[in-house]
Amino acid sequence: MEDSLRARIRAGDADAFAELFDDTSPEVHRMALRATGDWAQAEDVVSLTFLEIWRLRQTVRHEDAPLRPFVLGVGLNVLRNQSRSARRHRAALARLPARENQPDFADEVVDRIADAEQVAAARTALGGLNRAERDVVLLCGWSELNSEAAAEILGVAPGTVRSRLSRARARLRASVDA
């Protein structure tokens, strides 16, 4: 029976290949699980083993030797290849310069959201002021200019700047309280 199974596998018979898979995949999985200690990696080894057997199906000989050793041998080679590949990958990563830890930007995002909310609230509050009061708040309150510098920019007396600023603050307090 095994000889006909070999011939059917060589011919590309999917049912014969499924039979071989059903008969031998649990053993390949056990071998891979014992070698790696990882269920997922063992499943990968099984998949790669049978992909490789399908690729090499023409090399299955007419010999009387059972197919089980052939399948386990291919599985062992897959394990070796994975191990070698992982070793090369670790070595390549070791050659890379160490990455600097990136600071957690979550707090910055929260701060930006809070800032955006405050700016929106301030714009709403400024919208309730007339243009002259708004200009004084922007220059003296936010840009931190003194009343003389703001008066020079606006072309008014420093006392006018101070009175506009006082009225603007009172209106802003009233809108915030409301």
Side-chain angles (χ1 to χ4, degrees):
M1 174 177 156
E2 192 148 315
D3 200 30
S4 68
L5 182 63
R6 288 171 187 273
R8 289 173 40 216
I9 288 172
R10 258 193 324 279
D13 183 353
D15 291 331
F17 191 75
E19 186 179 328
L20 177 67
F21 180 86
D22 291 341
D23 290 346
T24 58
S25 65
E27 289 182 77
V28 174
H29 189 270
R30 278 192 298 274
M31 177 182 70
L33 183 59
R34 289 179 183 136
T36 64
D38 183 349
W39 282 92
Q41 191 174 358
E43 289 173 0
D44 288 346
V45 168
V46 171
S47 298
L48 291 172
T49 297
F50 284 93
L51 282 172
E52 189 65 12
I53 290 171
W54 181 257
R55 190 179 72 78
L56 297 173
R57 68 186 177 276
Q58 297 298 321
T59 65
V60 176
R61 307 243 186 273
H62 286 289
E63 305 162 354
D64 290 334
L67 283 170
R68 181 176 167 267
F70 172 73
V71 171
L72 291 175
V74 172
L76 185 60
N77 285 335
V78 168
L79 276 168
R80 287 178 185 153
N81 289 341
Q82 278 192 337
S83 175
R84 194 174 19 236
S85 177
R87 194 171 44 250
R88 282 190 214 123
H89 186 254
R90 283 190 303 271
L93 289 177
R95 288 189 303 267
L96 293 175
R99 283 189 353 190
E100 294 179 23
N101 287 337
Q102 298 295 321
D104 185 10
F105 60 88
D107 293 335
E108 184 180 331
V109 170
V110 170
D111 290 344
R112 284 185 182 181
I113 290 171
D115 289 348
E117 291 171 351
Q118 288 177 347
V119 168
R123 287 191 69 203
T124 301
L126 282 176
L129 301 176
N130 65 39
R131 192 180 120 225
E133 292 169 344
R134 189 172 39 246
D135 290 346
V136 170
V137 168
L138 291 174
L139 292 173
C140 295
W142 285 358
S143 298
E144 299 178 357
L145 291 179
N146 61 28
S147 57
E148 287 78 21
E152 187 176 326
I153 292 170
L154 296 173
V156 295
T160 304
V161 169
R162 286 190 289 275
S163 65
R164 286 179 184 173
L165 186 58
S166 177
R167 273 194 313 272
R169 285 180 177 156
R171 290 179 72 183
L172 287 173
R173 268 190 229 104
S175 70
V176 168
D177 291 342

